[in-house]
Amino acid sequence: MSNKLAILVPTCNRPETVREVLHYSATYLKNNGVDIYYYDSSETSLTEEMIREMNDQKYDNVHYIPVLDSLSYGEKIDLLFSRYGIEKEYDYIWPMKDRVICNEKMLRIVLSRCDGEADVIISLGLGDIYEGDRCDLYSPVDLYRLFGKQTTSLETVIYNTNTILNGYKFGECEAAPSHRKNFWQFDVLYRRLSLLERPVIGIVSKADAYNINTSEKVESYWSEKIFEVWIEEWIRENFELPDIYSKDKLFVIKDTASIMELLGNYKRFEKLHSQGMFNFETFKKYEGMWEYVTNIPVDELRKLSLS
């Protein structure tokens, strides 16, 4: 018998982050019948030991799955999509970063939508913007145009295992080029949706329903290659998506890359400059591409790179 929903979390060397998340959420996850699985590639046993302590405290909804530390980001998502190490069957899986968890209100609104009708569910912490707290889209092109930026975040999309992930097998990511591996959940989402005749895309949003981040401030592992990832790989990823998305590709590329946390913040460029990561050589390398990924005037970037 299938369970409605499981949360799947890749983690590595962050036992205190996992502890904080579970201290906050384990009880209401259990009370709502939701299992959470940690795919751990840590160098120590601290995360496993902490989860075993949770199990001893009767939290049988918290699970530990060891994985190799040599796997790329995309290959770890590959494990999640293939439900590696999971004996139960679930109607939906919800991948999340280890420093993120839905609050109980968001969990309940997502669960109310896990009725098997939607091929994917998009959880938006934007407040009560839809009548009845939900709406449906039936075109992947509409999803791409409206929420392409949001769906780059791992925790935004919940996947129906019987439709959108039907037949998914571990190893699909192995032979993919790096630009696809680094955006694997995004790539799988839009490629697989394009193959469905009339996909049902459930959008859920409600006042005070949101995902929270832990108190630990974690720098993305992509930070040291931010330009390679968010210019070279991000642009290539989008342009290699199926042609149905073509008219919106330039918009989604810039709408995403130009957010403040990425390439939309001048102060971030100043920090990267002080770290030696943004210099005139970098500016020249991407000189014809800045206008496609940021709203910061090119002349300002040139001046900064020369300073």
Side-chain angles (χ1 to χ4, degrees):
M1 179 177 180
S2 295
N3 293 275
K4 264 192 175 184
L5 175 69
I7 294 172
L8 310 185
V9 185
T11 189
C12 182
N13 295 331
R14 290 214 279 263
E16 292 309 312
T17 297
V18 174
R19 185 185 301 275
E20 184 176 344
V21 165
L22 291 176
H23 178 77
Y24 174 79
S25 66
T27 298
Y28 67 73
L29 292 175
K30 181 177 175 66
N31 290 343
N32 285 278
V34 174
D35 290 330
I36 184 167
Y37 292 81
Y38 282 93
Y39 287 73
D40 182 34
S41 58
S42 298
E43 297 168 353
T44 72
S45 61
L46 293 175
T47 300
E48 180 180 11
E49 291 170 4
M50 185 269 298
I51 289 175
R52 299 307 179 204
E53 291 173 6
M54 296 288 297
N55 297 155
D56 291 341
Q57 297 169 23
K58 309 304 181 186
Y59 288 100
D60 57 355
N61 62 317
V62 183
H63 304 271
Y64 180 84
I65 299 175
V67 300
L68 297 174
D69 61 2
S70 59
L71 297 177
S72 68
Y73 171 80
E75 288 166 338
K76 290 180 180 178
I77 305 304
D78 197 22
L79 288 173
L80 271 56
F81 283 165
S82 61
R83 281 86 77 197
Y84 170 82
I86 297 179
E87 296 181 359
K88 295 182 184 179
E89 294 182 358
Y90 296 92
D91 295 323
Y92 290 87
I93 61 166
W94 191 352
M96 284 193 186
K97 294 190 286 286
D98 60 4
R99 64 182 183 273
V100 176
I101 194 66
C102 55
N103 71 355
E104 187 168 12
K105 198 165 189 178
M106 175 60 84
L107 179 68
R108 287 181 174 178
I109 191 174
V110 166
L111 283 170
S112 73
R113 195 66 180 86
C114 291
D115 52 12
E117 179 185 354
D119 298 294
V120 294
I121 301 164
I122 310 300
S123 65
L124 301 174
L126 303 178
D128 193 8
I129 60 172
Y130 297 110
E131 184 178 354
D133 308 327
R134 56 191 273 181
C135 76
D136 287 342
L137 301 175
Y138 300 96
S139 165
V141 175
D142 290 341
L143 176 67
Y144 181 71
R145 182 181 67 255
L146 294 171
F147 301 115
K149 174 171 59 181
Q150 289 88 340
T151 53
T152 61
S153 293
L154 189 63
E155 62 276 2
T156 301
V157 186
I158 299 100
Y159 303 80
N160 187 321
T161 62
N162 300 305
T163 61
I164 191 72
L165 292 181
N166 183 40
Y168 190 99
K169 300 296 184 183
F170 176 68
E172 291 193 19
C173 181
E174 184 177 6
S178 62
H179 67 277
R180 290 187 65 189
K181 287 182 179 179
N182 281 337
F183 296 100
W184 189 246
Q185 80 278 0
F186 183 88
D187 190 270
V188 169
L189 174 66
Y190 288 103
R191 288 181 188 275
R192 288 200 162 218
L193 280 176
S194 72
L195 299 175
L196 299 181
E197 185 174 346
R198 191 173 186 267
V200 178
I201 302 162
I203 312 291
V204 297
S205 179
K206 189 178 181 67
D208 300 321
Y210 49 84
N211 295 327
I212 66 166
N213 284 270
T214 63
S215 58
E216 181 183 8
K217 300 301 180 184
V218 179
E219 188 77 7
S220 169
Y221 86 101
W222 283 344
S223 295
E224 294 184 358
K225 53 177 186 176
I226 185 171
F227 301 116
E228 177 185 343
V229 170
W230 288 103
I231 299 179
E232 295 179 39
E233 295 185 354
W234 175 237
I235 290 175
R236 187 175 175 187
E237 163 63 30
N238 281 271
F239 272 100
E240 290 184 4
L241 288 178
D243 290 343
I244 62 169
Y245 305 109
S246 291
K247 68 183 180 65
D248 296 306
K249 288 179 178 180
L250 286 176
F251 168 76
V252 172
I253 287 167
K254 187 168 186 177
D255 190 47
T256 305
S258 63
I259 65 173
M260 297 298 283
E261 294 86 352
L262 296 176
L263 301 178
N265 187 343
Y266 186 79
K267 290 187 178 298
R268 182 164 178 78
F269 273 89
E270 288 182 321
K271 181 179 180 180
L272 293 168
H273 180 60
S274 69
Q275 295 172 334
M277 294 169 59
F278 178 66
N279 50 35
F280 188 64
E281 181 180 352
T282 307
F283 174 82
K284 290 295 292 183
K285 180 178 181 180
Y286 300 113
E287 187 168 16
M289 305 169 79
W290 295 115
E291 64 180 297
Y292 298 105
V293 295
T294 183
N295 291 313
I296 300 172
V298 176
D299 284 346
E300 290 188 20
L301 294 177
R302 178 191 293 273
K303 291 176 184 177
L304 177 61
S305 73
L306 291 169
S307 63

